Amino acid sequence: MTRWGRAAAFITMIAVMVTMLFPLSYMVWLSLKSETGDALNWMENYTAIMSRGRLWLFMLNSAVVAVAVTLGNLVFCLMTGYALARGKFVGSKALYFSAAATLMIPSHILIIPIYMLTSKIGLFDTYWALILPFLVSPLGVFLMTQYIRGLPDDCEQAARIDGAGELTILFRIVAPLCRPALAVLAIQIFMTNWNSFVFPFVLTSSPELYTLPVGMAMMQGMQGMGTPLLMAGCTITTLPVIAVFLLFQRQIVEGITAGAVKG
C-alpha cells in the first residue's frame, strides 16, 4: 500500500474504533453523573446500585446460567462436531445440514415451544429451564464441525493404531487443536446467555431466579431507578463479558495467526 493508502486505512480503523467505543464510554460517563447532571464521586452510583435490591443475587444467577451453558456447549458441540466431521455413518450429512439449517430460524420462535416443554416436564421456574434447552447451539455445532474438518487427521490415525479410544483421541488430541474455535464459541455463548433477557423472563417467575438483565428491568420498573443508577448497573453487567474476552484473547489471536500462516 502507498503512504496515502495506509493513512486512509488507519483513519478508517480509528473511526470504526471510536464508533464502537462511544456507546460504552457514554454509558460509563452517565454512570458518574447525578440525576441533575452534576458530577459525583465515581463510586457513589456504583455503591448505591450494589446496595439496592438483590443485584448480587441476580449476578450470581447470571453467572451460574452463563457458565453452565458455556461449559455444556464447549463439551457437547465439540463432541457433536467431531462425530459429524470424522464419523462415517448413515445420515451424518443430513444431521449436519439440519443443524446448519436451524441457524436460519430466529431464536425467539422457540420461546413458546420451550415454555410449553419446560412446563410439562416440571422444569419451569428452575435453573434447569434456563440451562438444559441451551446446552447445544447450532452455531457451535456448525463451527466445530467446520474447524475439525480443516484439521489433519494424521495424529488421530496414529493414536488409533496405538490403541487409543475415540474419547481419548477427542479430548487429548483434537480438543487442544480446537482451542481457537473453542475460545470463539465460549465468548459467543457466554455473552449471549449473560445478556439474555427474553428467555429468562419467560421461563422464570420467582425473583430469586431472575438473571441480571431481568432483575435490572424489574428494579427499574418497581423502584423508579434513574438513568445514572441504571447506567452504573449496565456498566457492572459488561465487566464479566470483557473479562471473558480478555481471558480467551490469546487463543483467538493464535487461531487468526494460524489461519493466516496456512493461507
Side-chain angles (χ1 to χ4, degrees), residues 1-235:
M1 297 178 62
T2 64
R3 179 181 301 178
W4 290 106
R6 290 194 297 270
F10 181 76
I11 294 174
T12 302
M13 289 188 291
I14 293 296
V16 171
M17 183 184 69
V18 171
T19 303
M20 296 177 66
L21 291 179
F22 176 75
L24 180 62
S25 303
Y26 187 62
M27 178 180 67
V28 175
W29 181 75
L30 286 179
S31 70
L32 303 177
K33 298 289 184 177
S34 66
E35 290 290 343
T36 58
D38 299 327
L40 296 175
N41 185 324
W42 71 277
M43 283 297 295
E44 188 170 336
N45 283 331
Y46 292 93
T47 303
I49 190 66
M50 294 303 292
S51 62
R52 177 179 292 198
R54 302 177 175 179
L55 191 64
W56 286 107
L57 178 60
F58 300 152
M59 293 184 67
L60 177 62
N61 291 338
S62 289
V64 170
V65 172
V67 171
V69 173
T70 300
L71 292 177
N73 273 269
L74 292 180
V75 174
F76 295 126
C77 290
L78 175 65
M79 297 175 67
T80 307
Y82 177 72
L84 294 176
R86 296 289 193 248
K88 297 180 180 179
F89 54 90
V90 178
S92 60
K93 291 185 177 181
L95 287 175
Y96 170 74
F97 285 114
S98 63
T102 57
L103 292 173
M104 296 181 290
I105 302 177
S107 61
H108 294 85
I109 293 179
L110 304 176
I111 293 176
I112 294 178
I114 292 178
Y115 171 79
M116 295 176 63
L117 180 62
T118 54
S119 298
K120 287 183 178 179
I121 62 180
L123 297 181
F124 177 76
D125 200 27
T126 64
Y127 274 127
W128 297 114
L130 303 177
I131 295 174
L132 288 180
F134 311 103
L135 285 179
V136 180
S137 70
L139 176 62
V141 172
F142 178 78
L143 174 65
M144 297 312 303
T145 302
Q146 291 298 103
Y147 194 87
I148 294 174
R149 281 179 177 175
L151 297 176
D153 62 351
D154 298 343
C155 295
E156 300 169 35
Q157 297 297 339
R160 290 190 182 93
I161 294 174
D162 291 338
E166 291 301 324
L167 288 179
T168 302
I169 295 173
L170 173 61
F171 289 107
R172 300 192 64 177
I173 296 177
V174 177
L177 297 175
C178 293
R179 283 184 300 176
L182 290 173
V184 173
L185 179 61
I187 292 175
Q188 196 275 334
I189 296 297
F190 183 88
M191 182 174 63
T192 299
N193 285 272
W194 180 267
N195 295 325
S196 178
F197 174 83
V198 176
F199 283 102
F201 180 73
V202 172
L203 299 177
T204 59
S205 59
S206 301
E208 293 78 11
L209 292 174
Y210 285 164
T211 57
L212 193 54
V214 179
M216 290 287 295
M218 295 301 175
M219 289 172 63
Q220 182 185 18
M222 296 179 181
Q223 301 183 18
M225 186 187 302
T227 299
L229 284 179
L230 181 63
M231 292 299 101
C234 292
T235 302

